[in-house]
């Protein structure tokens, strides 16, 4: 195993020229990943980036680690086989809204369901970029794109609702315009055992520029972002006087100090609660009625599939002993044909 | 006691047929195993509906099991049954058309009720209207016989009646002079925790045997002497079982654990069932969310340094195509087992066919060459599974292993090899991180070195995008793409230097060469042997390696005046041979979901040589 104490960003930067469009949010994400990885104490040779297809999926070529640029939508399945076979690796999946929520939706939910110990970075720009601008499953209804000149009719998917619906043990949301915060979230995801999904709101400057402006604009971000902290009340706003309250089974925005509302009325975030209900509430909070929740929605300890697979192998070996091929081949009803048994 | 005589036979074919719930597969398997234990050579053909429980007593619900036993080499389950055991009118109706006149037909008279006759579509009772004239009909009230034998046991009549298949089996054991002990021992193991059921089934078995012995129903009993088989320890094994064991053996030879990514599909699921039992051998089985995930997980496993494998049938192959292309491009070892069934689309899932040969070769986008090899019979699956794994690892390539439903479910006596004698298979790993390039190739095989995540200093990126020669860096350079395409093709061709030359059975040259592949081996070989015994100038070449074809095959085909290619499809190997070698071939195609009968091939040989 190589020494991790001397690793720098440079060690994780490959010699390949980065070929995203100028101004693409992917640059900031790449930079954040290359910056945070040296700090995580993982030997470089243990790090593998697996991606599907799409702009974001070029990511592995730019990392000087092991990398596998696979096929559209299937990164989760490939990462699953990789992690189960070689559980000592730190497996990262790079994917987008088209890759994981459309063509690869099935693999995405099943990886989450099994709680494979991988880190998923889902770049959500609400558009197909690589195929040059068709609407994606996260595009808002009505979006005019190359394939929907009269506006899209599809209802949009929420990556967070889908992941939490599949009982993701870790789900967080970050934005490309705040790389420091993104690094924090990535470090949290790495520390989590099990499938950790980070939805990164990422801007496509060419085909869907400004899709996340409501959330990311500097001027209004304090009023439009809810930064989640475990054990802290869900308070936001430039004046820190807005909060999320649960009214019956419906969350709502309240102003502290108005209508008799106090900080005690504000919902306290609990990312560790085993039931996914609270995280699901957060996933349903959408602009403009609600601020965009950022940070860790849910981080629940649970056994992972890869760990259980090897535990089961170990348990059976302890019970039955190491497999003996001879015993296996000669099992069942056998009989002997002797040389002198043959008749002419 | 009767005054029956004992007649010696060199071979006999028996078909057990009944409702899906009558236990015919079990009955046939017991007869088979006992015959194996007394030393007969044999081959079996289980034929059952896809429906788990079709309505009882109806034609679609009929399940049958055919076995041929003999004292000479048996290569097929037999063309024509000498005996049909029909447990109900539907079984009789479905099977009688293939039973030649003069054969013995044993029926359970108790099941020939008006209601069952109606369900089978009989207007009149065939036992009474003369439609069984010309057959040696044996009518037995198996139900009553079983109930009488089980009188006094604390079981209801329904449970008792369920033992009647063992009563029928007991009769067959008497007819063919088989011992009851192996089946009795099996019953005791099977019902170890249900003593009363063990007792009931043993009593039923004995009752059938005793009845046949004492009743004056059969003029004679028969004996099939032990076959002249090579000495050794044997077991009866199905194709899917043998395939699973071959993969485990290969895993030991390579020294890497198996990762089987798969999705349930008939008739391949038994490979998953078998391998999922072998955890103490380090086998990981992963039942994926779909066929695509199954192969992708296997590719991920190979990338991670395991033996990635996937098992499926035709429709699953179609879904896996894109991912297999990724394994071709990234040059990762991968074993893909396709247990073929009748298609297109869902087709006839439980019926056999060999119509995925061209799919295996060509059904991917781009120039996407890989290795394709095939199994010829159940016991052969063990060796083919090992070979497929060895080629995959040595040449860093996906290998498609073609089996079929006939081979997968059929059984044969398998001489168990000594696992210690199986050679070690070496892995080509890179040694020096300094000048490591992911697509640098070995001179002889053209295989790239297998560097896996976790190896310090060998960090590299691979992917589906075309890569520059040696470095693998993404490249759209026109010349480079051609170079890489040619290299990938040449690597597969190099496998021809590794596999053996094509052999023929029969004259080295002559009037006719019959070329077969896959599960038709037994029927074709038997037909050619018959023709040879008649002095005809005919030889047999059974092609095991489809891609690449054996290096001497083109030259070999030139030595015969005519070439006949019988296949259970509309002509796929024949097309391959025609365009590869520019030769003319005669075809014999059958596409009925059923294997060839020996005489179908023999009569074509006769016609061609007439």
């Amino acid at each position: 195993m190589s020494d991790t104490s001397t690793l720098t960003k440079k060690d994780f930067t490959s010699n390949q020229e980065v070929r995203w469009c100028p101004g693409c949010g992917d640059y900031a994400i790449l930079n954040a990943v290359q910056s945070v990885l040296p700090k995580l104490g993982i030997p470089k040779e243990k790090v593998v980036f697996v991606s599907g297809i799409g702009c974001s999926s070029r990511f592995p070529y730019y990392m000087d680690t092991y990398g596998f640029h696979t096929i559209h939508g299937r990164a989760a399945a490939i990462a699953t086989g990789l992690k189960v076979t070689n559980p000592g690796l730190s497996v990262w999946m790079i994917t987008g809204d088209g890759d994981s929520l459309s063509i690869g939706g099935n693999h995405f939910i099943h990886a989450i369901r099994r709680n494979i110990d991988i880190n998923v970075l889902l770049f959500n720009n609400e558009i197909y970029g690589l195929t040059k601008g068709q609407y994606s499953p996260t595009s808002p209804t009505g979006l005019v794109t190359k394939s929907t000149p009269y506006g899209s009719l599809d209802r949009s998917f929420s990556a967070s609702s889908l992941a939490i619906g599949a009982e993701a043990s870790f789900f967080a949301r970050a934005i490309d315009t705040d790389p420091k915060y993104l690094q924090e979230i990535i470090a949290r995801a790495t520390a989590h055992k099990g499938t950790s999904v980070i939805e990164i709101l990422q801007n496509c400057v060419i085909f869907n520029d400004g899709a996340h402006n409501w959330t990311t604009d500097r001027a209004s971000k304090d009023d439009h972002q809810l930064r989640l902290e475990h054990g802290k009340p869900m308070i936001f706003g430039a004046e820190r006087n807005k909060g999320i309250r649960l009214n019956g089974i419906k969350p709502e925005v309240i102003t502290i100090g108005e209508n008799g509302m106090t900080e005690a009325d504000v919902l306290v975030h609990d990312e560790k609660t085993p039931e996914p209900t609270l995280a699901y509430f957060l996933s349903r909070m959408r602009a403009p009625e609600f601020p965009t929740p950022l940070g860790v929605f849910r981080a629940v300890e649970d056994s992972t599939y890869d760990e259980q697979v090897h535990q089961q192998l170990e348990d059976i070996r302890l019970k039955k002993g190491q497999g003996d091929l001879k015993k296996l081949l000669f099992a069942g009803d056998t009989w002997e044909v002797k040389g002198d048994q043959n008749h002419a | 006691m009767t005054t029956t005589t004992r007649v010696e036979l060199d071979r006999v074919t028996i078909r057990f047929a009944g409702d899906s719930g009558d236990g015919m597969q079990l009955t046939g398997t017991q007869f088979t195993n006992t015959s194996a234990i007394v030393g007969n050579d044999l081959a079996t053909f289980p034929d059952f509906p896809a429906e788990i429980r079709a309505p009882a007593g109806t034609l679609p619900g009929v399940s049958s099991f055919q076995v041929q036993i003999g004292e000479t080499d048996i290569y097929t389950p037999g063309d024509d049954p000498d005996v049909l055991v029909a447990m109900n009118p539907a079984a009789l109706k479905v099977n009688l058309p293939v039973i030649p006149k003069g054969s013995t037909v044993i029926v359970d008279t108790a099941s020939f009720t008006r209601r069952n006759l109606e369900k089978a579509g009989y207007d009149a009772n065939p036992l009474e209207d003369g439609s069984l004239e010309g057959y040696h009909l044996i009518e037995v009230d198996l139900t009553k016989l079983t109930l009488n034998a089980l009188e006094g046991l604390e079981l209801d009549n329904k449970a008792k009646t369920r033992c009647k298949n063992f009563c029928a089996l007991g009769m067959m054991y008497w007819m063919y002079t088989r011992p009851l002990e192996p089946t009795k021992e099996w019953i005791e193991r099977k019902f170890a925790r249900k003593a009363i059921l063990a007792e009931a089934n043993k009593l039923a078995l004995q009752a059938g045997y005793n009845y046949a012995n004492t009743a004056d129903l059969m003029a004679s009993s028969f004996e099939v002497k032990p076959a002249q088989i090579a000495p050794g320890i044997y077991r009866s094994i199905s194709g899917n079982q043998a395939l699973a064991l071959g993969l485990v053996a290969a895993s030991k030879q390579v020294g890497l654990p198996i990762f089987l990514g798969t999705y349930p599909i008939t008739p391949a699921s038994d490979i998953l069932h078998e391998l999922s039992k072998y955890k103490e051998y380090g086998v990981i089985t992963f039942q994926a969310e779909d066929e695509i995930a199954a192969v992708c997980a296997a590719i991920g496993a190979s990338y991670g340094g395991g033996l990635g494998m996937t098992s499926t049938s035709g429709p699953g192959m179609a879904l896996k195509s894109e991912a297999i292309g990724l394994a071709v491009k990234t040059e990762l070892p991968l074993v893909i087992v396709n247990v073929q069934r009748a298609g297109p689309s869902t087709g006839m899932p439980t019926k056999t066919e060999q119509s995925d040969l061209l799919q295996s070769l060509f059904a991917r986008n781009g120039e996407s060459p890989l290795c394709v090899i095939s199994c010829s019979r159940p016991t052969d699956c063990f060796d083919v599974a090992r070979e497929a794994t060895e080629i995959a690892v040595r040449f860093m390539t996906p290998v498609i292993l073609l089996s079929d439903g006939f081979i997968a479910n059929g059984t044969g006596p398998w001489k168990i090899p000594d696992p210690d004698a199986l050679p070690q298979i070496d892995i080509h790993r890179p040694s020096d991180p300094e000048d490591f390039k992911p697509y640098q190739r070995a001179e002889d095989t053209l295989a790239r070195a297998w560097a896996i995540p976790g190896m310090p200093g060998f960090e590299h990126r691979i992917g589906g995008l075309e890569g520059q020669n040696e470095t693998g860096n993404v490249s759209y350079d026109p010349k480079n793409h051609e170079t890489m395409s040619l290299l990938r093709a040449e690597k597969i061709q190099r496998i021809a230097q590794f596999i053996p030359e094509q052999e023929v059975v029969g004259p080295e040259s002559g009037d006719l060469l019959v070329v077969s592949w896959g599960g038709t081996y037994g029927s074709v070989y038997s037909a050619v042997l018959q023709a040879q015994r008649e002095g005809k100038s005919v030889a047999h070449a059974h092609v095991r390696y489809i891609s690449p074809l054996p290096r001497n095959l083109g030259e070999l085909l030139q030595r015969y005046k005519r070439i006949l290619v019988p296949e259970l499809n509309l002509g796929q190997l024949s097309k391959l041979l025609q365009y590869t070698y520019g030769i003319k071939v005669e075809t014999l195609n059958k596409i009925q979901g059923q294997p060839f009968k020996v005489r179908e091939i023999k009569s074509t040989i006769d016609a061609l040589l007439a």
Side-chain angles (χ1 to χ4, degrees):
Chain A
M1 204 183 285
S2 60
D3 180 18
T4 61
S5 63
T6 59
L7 288 174
T8 64
K9 184 182 168 195
K10 205 165 157 262
D11 291 305
F12 289 94
T13 308
S14 81
N15 61 3
Q16 296 296 294
E17 188 194 341
V18 184
R19 289 192 194 167
W20 287 309
C21 307
C24 176
D26 290 2
Y27 283 96
I29 302 170
L30 176 64
N31 192 40
V33 172
Q34 286 169 338
S35 301
V36 74
L37 268 176
K39 302 171 193 162
L40 300 178
I42 309 166
K44 199 171 113 163
E45 71 274 10
K46 299 271 188 195
V47 178
V48 190
F49 281 85
V50 181
S51 64
I53 293 292
C55 292
S56 60
S57 290
R58 298 291 182 99
F59 199 98
Y61 292 116
Y62 309 136
M63 299 296 301
D64 194 16
T65 62
Y66 281 94
F68 198 175
H69 179 213
T70 71
I71 47 177
H72 204 10
R74 319 300 171 201
I78 288 172
T80 296
L82 172 63
K83 180 66 183 180
V84 170
T85 300
N86 205 332
L89 299 173
S90 171
V91 178
W92 299 66
M93 173 177 146
I94 305 293
T95 184
D97 42 312
D99 196 50
S100 262
L101 303 182
S102 200
I103 190 168
N106 201 26
H107 314 308
F108 181 69
I109 56 172
H110 286 279
I112 291 172
R113 167 175 75 89
R114 295 187 182 102
N115 201 28
I116 311 272
D117 188 12
I118 57 174
N119 307 314
V120 181
L121 304 187
L122 196 162
F123 296 30
N124 184 3
N125 56 14
E126 301 185 356
I127 199 81
Y128 281 86
L130 195 64
T131 50
K132 301 190 174 51
Q134 301 81 9
Y135 73 107
S136 91
T138 55
S139 299
T141 307
L143 191 70
V144 172
T145 70
K146 267 201 187 140
S147 57
T148 52
Y150 300 104
S152 94
L153 300 174
D154 287 29
R155 294 179 199 193
S156 68
F157 235 159
S158 153
S160 50
S161 292
L162 185 69
I164 291 159
E167 296 185 34
S169 63
F170 183 102
F171 182 88
R173 186 186 284 145
I175 47 179
D176 57 0
T177 51
D178 189 348
K180 201 169 152 269
Y181 189 59
L182 177 57
Q183 284 191 41
E184 276 173 40
I185 300 292
I186 290 173
R188 287 276 328 262
T190 316
H192 177 77
K193 200 175 61 122
T195 309
S196 49
V197 180
I198 306 176
E199 178 192 19
I200 306 170
L201 306 183
Q202 174 251 328
N203 191 41
C204 172
V205 281
I206 306 295
F207 296 110
N208 203 15
D209 195 21
H212 303 301
N213 274 359
W214 191 89
T215 303
T216 58
D217 258 0
R218 269 178 203 284
S220 55
K221 72 180 170 63
D222 291 339
D223 284 326
H224 291 175
Q225 295 180 3
L226 168 67
R227 300 252 171 163
L228 299 166
E229 281 183 81
H230 177 64
K232 300 268 175 72
M234 297 182 189
I235 292 175
F236 67 101
E239 322 251 312
R240 300 291 296 165
N241 65 341
K242 294 213 169 76
I244 305 297
R245 183 181 88 125
L246 207 53
N247 183 3
I249 57 162
K250 273 188 71 176
E252 63 181 17
V253 174
I254 57 161
T255 306
I256 298 165
E258 281 179 16
N259 300 323
M261 291 293 164
T262 68
E263 197 177 315
D265 292 301
V266 178
L267 202 54
V268 173
H269 183 43
D270 182 358
E271 64 189 31
K272 296 183 196 307
T273 182
E275 276 304 307
T277 318
L278 180 64
Y280 192 74
F281 276 139
L282 292 170
S283 80
R284 303 313 298 165
M285 286 167 47
R286 292 208 195 187
E289 192 190 347
F290 288 99
T292 305
L294 298 178
V296 178
F297 288 38
R298 180 171 151 85
V300 175
E301 285 281 319
D302 204 350
S303 53
T304 70
Y305 181 80
D306 37 295
E307 171 184 86
Q308 285 179 301
V309 164
H310 289 277
Q311 189 60 52
Q312 193 176 48
L313 292 184
E314 200 46 48
D315 291 347
I316 305 280
R317 274 202 190 108
L318 277 175
K319 203 171 139 198
K320 294 188 167 179
Q322 180 70 31
D324 172 1
L325 187 57
K326 199 160 209 159
K327 224 169 87 187
L328 179 63
L329 300 189
F330 286 81
D333 292 328
T334 61
W335 67 92
E336 187 173 4
V337 174
K338 294 203 174 85
D340 56 7
Q341 191 176 304
N342 296 332
H343 65 289
Chain B
M1 280 296 291
T2 57
T3 52
T4 51
T5 54
R6 186 173 289 183
V7 178
E8 277 191 24
L9 299 172
D10 68 345
R11 59 182 60 211
V12 68
T13 298
I14 298 162
R15 183 180 290 197
F16 297 92
D19 199 67
S20 294
D22 281 341
M24 290 299 97
Q25 301 303 321
L26 180 74
T27 310
T29 304
Q30 280 304 309
F31 189 89
T32 302
N33 290 351
T34 298
S35 298
I37 288 165
V38 301
N40 295 135
D41 197 2
L42 55 89
T44 69
F45 178 37
D47 194 9
F48 42 84
E51 294 80 7
I52 304 304
R53 286 277 183 276
T58 61
L59 301 179
V62 173
S63 165
S64 73
F65 186 103
Q66 183 167 315
V67 54
Q68 178 171 218
I69 57 173
E71 63 165 305
T72 53
D73 285 356
I74 299 295
Y75 300 103
T76 77
D79 280 8
D80 305 309
D82 300 292
V83 182
L84 169 69
V85 179
M87 301 298 278
N88 68 4
L92 182 68
K93 180 133 191 191
V94 168
N95 288 286
L96 198 62
V98 299
I99 311 296
K101 290 262 159 114
S103 299
T104 300
V105 174
I106 302 175
V107 295
D108 175 19
T109 52
S111 70
F112 281 68
T113 59
R114 176 182 289 185
R115 193 166 146 63
N116 281 345
L117 289 166
E118 271 170 17
K119 279 195 217 166
Y122 274 120
D123 295 330
N125 188 343
L127 305 183
E128 292 161 1
D129 70 356
S131 57
L132 290 169
E133 218 162 275
Y135 293 98
H136 177 50
L137 177 67
I138 300 178
E139 297 177 70
V140 187
D141 188 340
L142 278 173
T143 305
K144 192 172 157 197
L145 197 58
T146 306
L147 286 176
N148 286 346
L150 271 52
E151 207 176 1
L153 281 189
E154 289 288 323
L155 281 172
D156 61 26
N157 274 4
K158 202 175 162 195
K160 285 179 182 173
T161 309
R162 256 191 233 127
C163 300
K164 71 178 182 177
N165 61 325
F166 277 100
C167 186
L169 181 64
M171 291 176 61
M172 298 310 289
Y173 279 169
W174 179 82
M175 264 180 85
Y176 290 98
T177 328
R178 330 259 91 179
L180 301 184
E181 283 64 37
T183 294
K184 285 187 174 173
E185 284 164 18
W186 179 86
I187 291 171
E188 276 165 15
R189 282 201 304 277
K190 169 92 179 163
F191 298 106
R193 287 185 201 148
K194 291 177 190 159
I196 189 155
L197 288 182
E199 187 59 24
N201 282 301
K202 282 194 290 181
L203 283 172
L205 181 75
Q206 191 70 55
Y209 187 91
N210 292 348
Y211 178 77
N213 190 17
T214 49
D216 210 8
L217 285 175
M218 288 162 240
S220 55
S221 70
F222 304 95
E223 183 166 18
V224 180
K225 289 249 170 91
Q228 300 186 42
I229 303 176
I233 308 282
Y234 282 76
R235 68 186 273 198
S236 175
I237 199 161
S238 76
N240 275 345
Q241 280 176 328
L243 211 152
L245 291 182
L247 294 175
V248 178
S251 150
K252 190 183 175 219
Q253 288 178 267
V254 185
L256 292 177
I258 288 176
F259 178 98
L260 178 80
T262 188
Y263 186 80
I265 187 169
T266 303
S269 302
D270 278 342
I271 297 170
L272 165 62
H273 303 160
E274 286 297 313
L275 286 175
S276 63
K277 293 183 213 158
Y278 305 148
K279 305 234 180 289
E280 67 270 35
Y281 299 85
V283 175
I284 297 174
T285 52
F286 175 65
Q287 185 176 316
E289 57 270 23
D290 59 33
E291 293 280 359
I292 298 172
V295 66
C296 284
I299 291 170
S302 284
Y303 175 65
L307 279 181
M309 304 177 168
T310 187
S311 51
T312 189
S313 188
M317 281 301 284
L319 286 165
K320 291 179 197 296
S321 297
E322 187 198 11
I324 295 171
L326 177 69
V328 169
K329 161 59 187 69
T330 52
E331 303 189 42
L332 285 167
L334 177 69
V335 176
I336 304 142
V337 179
N338 175 0
V339 185
Q340 299 164 98
R341 66 190 214 189
S345 188
T346 309
M348 301 194 287
T350 56
K351 307 299 173 191
T352 199
E353 206 162 280
Q354 25 178 210
S355 47
D356 296 347
L357 181 141
L358 294 179
Q359 178 197 38
S360 304
L361 289 171
F362 303 120
R364 284 172 298 286
N365 60 307
E367 294 292 344
S368 183
L370 46 64
C371 175
V372 182
I373 71 176
S374 61
C375 321
S376 59
R377 46 180 177 165
T379 54
D380 183 42
C381 291
F382 180 80
D383 293 322
V384 177
R386 291 193 310 103
E387 277 179 72
T389 311
E390 180 166 7
I391 293 170
V393 170
R394 266 183 184 248
F395 288 86
M396 293 292 283
T397 179
V399 176
I400 294 177
L401 192 171
L402 290 175
S403 177
D404 64 40
F406 176 65
I407 300 172
N409 291 318
T411 52
W414 179 49
K415 187 182 167 200
I416 307 170
D418 176 7
D420 298 330
L422 301 175
Q424 186 185 319
I425 300 169
D426 294 327
I427 300 166
H428 175 38
R429 297 256 187 243
S431 52
D432 184 6
E434 281 312 305
D435 55 14
F436 168 70
K437 290 177 191 147
Y439 288 87
Q440 215 160 28
R441 294 165 192 284
E443 266 180 33
D444 52 347
T445 59
L446 291 183
R448 72 185 190 92
W450 192 5
I452 59 170
M455 289 170 65
F458 294 96
E459 291 85 358
H460 66 280
R461 274 66 59 195
I462 58 172
L465 283 172
E466 183 61 285
Q468 187 186 40
N469 194 8
E470 298 198 341
T471 68
N473 291 332
V474 175
S475 168
Y476 284 78
D477 176 53
K479 281 270 162 54
N480 177 73
H481 177 50
E482 194 161 275
T483 303
M484 295 311 292
S485 300
L486 291 169
L487 270 172
R488 287 188 285 264
E490 171 62 16
K491 182 178 82 168
I492 297 306
Q493 283 309 312
R494 291 277 176 102
I495 299 170
Q497 305 305 317
F498 169 77
I499 59 174
E501 292 200 338
Q502 180 63 49
E503 289 180 358
V504 292
V505 178
E508 291 285 306
S509 62
D511 293 339
L512 180 68
L513 178 68
V514 188
V515 182
S516 58
W517 72 280
T520 55
Y521 167 80
S523 328
V524 175
Y525 186 54
S526 301
V528 171
L529 283 184
Q530 282 179 20
Q532 286 173 348
R533 278 189 215 113
E534 291 167 9
K536 296 195 166 88
S537 168
V538 51
H540 179 209
H542 188 78
V543 180
R544 184 189 192 88
Y545 308 93
I546 311 291
S547 169
L549 289 161
R551 54 189 180 276
N552 64 326
L553 185 61
E555 180 272 325
L556 190 149
L557 294 171
Q558 304 292 339
R559 295 198 235 128
Y560 299 85
K561 285 181 194 149
R562 298 176 92 169
I563 309 287
L564 169 65
V565 186
E567 290 179 89
L568 298 175
N569 56 39
L570 293 181
Q572 300 203 358
L573 180 68
S574 61
K575 283 193 184 73
L576 183 68
L577 297 179
Q578 287 179 90
Y579 90 63
T580 306
Y581 302 113
I583 54 165
K584 187 178 172 296
V585 305
E586 310 288 341
T587 59
L588 170 61
N589 302 117
K590 177 175 176 178
I591 188 141
Q592 302 170 6
Q594 295 292 323
F596 275 121
K597 291 186 188 301
V598 175
R599 70 162 170 278
E600 289 167 338
I601 295 158
K602 173 65 169 38
S603 61
T604 308
I605 293 173
D606 292 346
L608 283 172
L609 295 178

